[in-house]
Amino acid sequence: LKSSLLYLYLYVFLMYITGELWYIINMKKLIIIISLLIIGFVCFVNAHELNVDYDKTIVAATLILEAGGEKDKRAMYAVYEVMHNRSIRRHLSYDEVCLEYKQFSCWNSIHTRATAFGIKIEVVDPYELEDIIDKAMTHPRWKEALSIVSKKSQTRYTSGATHYHADYVDPYWANSLLKTIKIDHHIFYK
């Protein structure tokens, strides 16, 4: 046993001298980061057992939480148009557009930015995501939102808008874009 430990210490010492120890430590960091990303992905994919695709559920939840309370029936369709236009422009799926950092205020609480081993990462809290989806699914207009998403409705209420905001806020980007329409409490821009 003592000779085995001696050989181990000698091996570590030789690796240290040759720089391999640095390589192994950094490989361990990389393995930890990859493991965390895989675990995060698995948690994210562990979705509700629904009759609807999970990506459609995220889009429908976004419609509900962003415009489900609006009186004008065009409101959810208009938000869906923004998702569609961003999806084309950014080469992303609709659910990826919805969950982008700071793009739809209803999802702001699920994002955490951190630095791990000198690498900046963004982590999505799967439990917070599930809680928000559960909240949206209890809304009285949930079936309407699912219908909009399932039919892939293509209306033209916003004239190609890629941005919008509630009329009670004044975002920094609003003056740099062209206002297209106001629907209920949302102002749309392109």
Side-chain angles (χ1 to χ4, degrees):
L1 181 65
K2 286 184 180 180
S3 63
S4 297
L5 284 174
L6 182 62
Y7 285 124
L8 179 62
Y9 288 132
L10 183 61
Y11 181 70
V12 170
F13 178 73
L14 289 173
M15 283 192 309
Y16 179 77
I17 291 173
T18 61
E20 289 183 30
L21 186 59
W22 178 87
Y23 175 77
I24 289 172
I25 290 171
N26 283 322
M27 285 305 293
K28 285 182 181 179
K29 288 178 185 178
L30 183 62
I31 289 169
I32 290 170
I33 290 171
I34 290 171
S35 299
L36 289 173
L37 290 173
I38 290 170
I39 290 168
F41 178 76
V42 169
C43 290
F44 179 77
V45 172
N46 185 15
H48 287 291
E49 294 176 3
L50 299 171
N51 295 332
V52 181
D53 293 334
Y54 196 62
D55 58 339
K56 289 181 181 178
T57 303
I58 289 171
V59 175
T62 306
L63 293 178
I64 287 294
L65 298 168
E66 292 287 321
E70 301 293 311
K71 292 177 185 169
D72 192 323
K73 295 291 182 186
R74 299 176 300 166
M76 284 199 294
Y77 287 96
V79 172
Y80 190 74
E81 285 180 37
V82 169
M83 289 178 202
H84 173 75
N85 295 331
R86 287 182 182 181
S87 175
I88 291 170
R89 220 177 209 187
R90 298 175 184 178
H91 306 286
L92 297 171
S93 65
Y94 286 34
D95 60 309
E96 289 173 323
V97 167
C98 291
L99 296 179
E100 275 188 299
Y101 183 71
K102 297 266 186 178
Q103 294 301 300
F104 291 91
S105 60
C106 63
W107 299 116
N108 286 351
S109 65
I110 69 167
H111 297 278
T112 303
R113 289 200 163 177
T115 302
F117 307 111
I119 299 172
K120 291 183 180 180
I121 58 171
E122 180 182 317
V123 180
V124 172
D125 180 351
Y127 300 110
E128 182 72 21
L129 180 72
E130 293 298 319
D131 289 346
I132 292 171
I133 290 172
D134 288 344
K135 175 184 171 187
M137 290 174 70
T138 63
H139 195 280
R141 293 179 69 191
W142 176 252
K143 287 184 180 177
E144 182 184 347
L146 280 177
S147 173
I148 292 169
V149 173
S150 296
K151 293 177 186 173
K152 294 195 175 187
S153 303
Q154 287 307 311
T155 56
R156 297 224 178 258
Y157 298 131
T158 67
S159 302
T162 56
H163 291 71
Y164 71 95
H165 65 81
D167 59 6
Y168 54 84
V169 297
D170 187 22
Y172 70 91
W173 48 261
N175 291 332
S176 65
L177 298 173
L178 175 66
K179 179 180 172 182
T180 61
I181 193 169
K182 181 175 187 218
I183 297 176
D184 227 353
H185 295 291
H186 288 118
I187 304 169
F188 294 84
Y189 300 85
K190 64 178 179 181

